[in-house]
Amino acid sequence: MKTEQRGGGLAVDDPRLAERVHAVFDQGRLLALPTETVYGLAAPIDRPDLVARVFELKGRPADNPLIVHVGTWEQARRVVSAWPEPAESLSRAFWPGPLTLVLPRAACVSDAITAGLDSVAVRMPDHPAALAVLRALDVPLVAPSANLFTRLSPTCAADVRAVFSAEQVEVIDGGPCRVGIESTIVGVDDQRRVLLWLRPGMLARAEVARHLPDGWRLAAAPAGADESDPRLAPGRMQTHYRPTRPLHVHVCRDRAECERLADRFQRDAARSLVVLPQSVEQAAGDLYRVLRAADTEGSQTIDLLLPSQRLHDPAWEGVINRLRKAASLWFQNTDRSKSD
Ligand code: AMP
Ligand code: MG
């Protein structure tokens, strides 16, 4: 894993990795960090200037808190003020991995990072490069996705370089991201013994629930949470993960309908047709890459076909969640003889 850094390159097996990464930060640049979910735009939690730069470069509103990434359990304990039972059982079951825990924050985590909340979102990414950097620095890093606010998340180094210059960001090329969509986020409510399902990712609810201590239950995000306020409904804004061209999602009743629409759309130069792989792991892994590719084709719309049974398959919850936010139009149970 090397980068084409000006003046040398950044290799994660370099014994002087910490020094080199600090040099990047001292130049006022951020680090693009490969993780198993998507590439993150990283800054140390103890550098308020660089944390501010993350918001600035992404164009991210200040009321949208950042996830803190850690390389060890000791680092995780440093950024929280409580470590309730499920934090232990869930982190032991899923870390390093695509699960983010929202816990009471420690004083070392600034208001800028948490958007003024008294909780902090923490996760340990499952990628050798991310873990090497976090462990070498021994400072937790904020690392939201390395994309512009509301746009598609980057799943390879080239996606980051297409948006940010070398003057702004040092990219560690860790290859394509294995998971491909952002982490599952859960909130730990110790008083009510409830685990809040805040953002679906690639972990199924049942799988997470299986690792809860006795007496705990999994619940949906707070009822009545306002989707326009990311602090009340984190990661649940309606518009997110968008290509620049309108994405139209067409839910097909059966295979015959999918084939009929595919045939029609393929012959229509105004549309770029997208069909996701059958396997949900592959579909998530490919999602942002295929949307990005379709976005460059010069058509008027991106048209994605989605077999209806996926909507009710718990394994597909994360992918469907991203599609709903990315889509400008969602065709379902419509009379297509009129709409097309
Ligand atoms: P990302 O853009 O993938 O880094 O995701 C960050 C998401 O985590 C955002 O949608 C936040 O709203 C959510 N998040 C971060 N910190 C907190 C927190 N303290 N409480 C609840 N959600 C959080
Ligand atoms: Mg993001």
Side-chain angles (χ1 to χ4, degrees), residues 60 64-67 102 117 119-121 143-145 182 185 198-199 230 234-235:
R60 183 168 172 134
N64 203 329
L66 305 176
I67 295 178
V102 176
L117 296 173
S119 58
V120 60
S145 48
E182 298 78 358
I185 305 182
L198 297 174
R199 178 176 75 184

Side-chain angles (χ1 to χ4, degrees), residues 281-301:
E281 285 78 19
Q282 256 183 310
D286 285 359
L287 182 66
Y288 295 137
R289 187 176 56 75
V290 296
L291 290 179
R292 192 171 267 111
D295 213 6
T296 61
E297 279 176 15
S299 57
Q300 285 167 24
T301 58

Side-chain angles (χ1 to χ4, degrees), residues 38 58 60 144-147 151 153 182 199 240-241:
V38 302
K58 280 181 62 74
R60 183 168 172 134
S145 48
N147 56 328
R151 294 297 179 192
S153 298
E182 298 78 358
R199 178 176 75 184
H240 214 141
Y241 320 112

Side-chain angles (χ1 to χ4, degrees), residues 43-124:
I45 61 163
D46 59 1
R47 287 285 303 266
D49 56 329
L50 296 178
V51 170
R53 184 80 174 133
V54 169
F55 283 95
E56 185 192 346
L57 279 191
K58 280 181 62 74
R60 183 168 172 134
D63 66 359
N64 203 329
L66 305 176
I67 295 178
V68 171
H69 289 64
V70 296
T72 63
W73 270 264
E74 191 276 321
Q75 288 175 16
R77 299 291 289 267
R78 243 189 268 162
V79 298
V80 301
S81 62
W83 189 252
E85 254 185 295
E88 185 64 18
S89 58
L90 294 173
S91 68
R92 294 292 167 189
F94 297 105
W95 284 3
L99 180 72
T100 298
L101 303 173
V102 176
L103 293 163
R105 73 154 147 169
C108 66
V109 183
S110 66
D111 275 343
I113 293 172
T114 69
L117 296 173
D118 50 19
S119 58
V120 60
V122 194
R123 98 172 180 102
M124 189 187 294

Side-chain angles (χ1 to χ4, degrees), residues 62-65 114-117 119 222 225-226 228-235 237:
D63 66 359
N64 203 329
T114 69
L117 296 173
S119 58
D226 177 357
S228 65
D229 185 345
R231 291 168 307 169
L232 295 177
M237 286 168 300

